[in-house]
Amino acid sequence: MNNVNSEVYMDISIIIGMMPNEMRNRISKGFINFVESNKANNYVSNINPQIPLKEQNIRKETKEMLGIIYRDYLCDEEERVNLLEKEKKELLELEAQKREKYDPDNIFKKNDIKENINEDIVTNEVAMIEYKEKESIITKIINKIKSFLHIY
């Protein structure tokens, strides 16, 4: 287990200890034992039991874990169903965004559009220019002889 997780478990352990007994009793004993066995004992948490949690600077991971504890153990059944539906909807939206962003067909379509634009730019920039070299007197004489002899 990495340090971040064990530090989060330490924060969660402190927060569970701050809860009233009726809330703490609603949380699974197995979950509490898991948190207690995986917490970092040498980590000094910045959670102060004297200050409400809303006013404290808590890690994102700790907030996420508290959300899971609330959803799974503390809220009533109706609210749990609503939270699960909301979570499922958010995950589906996130997957749709990822699918749209990383869809191979769309990636190739975007490249085709860029190639077409580049081709248009290239064709507009390239123009045929007739270039005539100055003929020397010797070249003119040779060309005249060829034209009389019908040699090209």
Side-chain angles (χ1 to χ4, degrees):
M1 181 133 335
N2 64 27
N3 285 341
V4 173
N5 286 343
S6 58
E7 291 171 0
V8 169
Y9 291 135
M10 182 64 174
D11 290 343
I12 294 296
S13 174
I14 292 170
I15 293 170
I16 290 174
M18 292 169 45
M19 291 180 179
N21 283 337
E22 74 175 45
M23 285 179 79
R24 193 176 323 128
N25 292 337
R26 294 172 73 178
I27 299 173
S28 163
K29 300 296 181 207
F31 179 77
I32 292 174
N33 289 337
F34 174 78
V35 169
E36 292 298 323
S37 64
N38 289 304
K39 70 181 182 178
N41 292 323
N42 57 351
Y43 167 68
V44 178
S45 178
N46 63 348
I47 295 179
N48 185 349
Q50 307 300 322
I51 302 173
L53 283 177
K54 290 181 181 180
E55 297 174 9
Q56 296 190 41
N57 186 17
I58 299 175
R59 289 183 180 184
K60 177 185 173 198
E61 295 89 354
T62 305
K63 288 179 184 180
E64 290 170 353
M65 183 69 76
L66 287 173
I68 293 170
I69 292 171
Y70 178 77
R71 181 195 67 199
D72 291 347
Y73 300 112
L74 302 177
C75 68
D76 60 8
E77 190 61 34
E78 182 180 331
E79 190 173 4
R80 180 177 298 120
V81 170
N82 289 338
L83 288 172
L84 289 171
E85 287 176 9
K86 183 179 176 183
E87 195 174 293
K88 183 178 179 181
K89 182 180 175 183
E90 288 174 357
L91 285 173
L92 289 174
E93 289 175 2
L94 183 63
E95 287 297 320
Q97 290 172 355
K98 285 182 183 177
R99 198 174 316 114
E100 182 179 324
K101 184 176 181 180
Y102 298 111
D103 185 26
D105 295 332
N106 289 341
I107 291 173
F108 293 128
K109 286 179 185 177
K110 290 177 184 176
N111 287 340
D112 289 343
I113 292 170
K114 289 179 183 177
E115 288 175 7
N116 290 339
I117 291 171
N118 289 338
E119 287 174 5
D120 291 342
I121 292 171
V122 170
T123 56
N124 289 339
E125 291 176 1
V126 176
M128 295 295 287
I129 299 174
E130 189 174 335
Y131 180 73
K132 291 185 179 180
E133 290 185 32
K134 291 185 178 181
E135 293 182 358
S136 66
I137 294 176
I138 297 172
T139 311
K140 286 181 183 180
I141 294 171
I142 293 173
N143 287 338
K144 278 289 188 186
I145 294 171
K146 285 182 182 178
S147 68
F148 285 126
L149 298 174
H150 300 291
I151 301 173
Y152 295 96

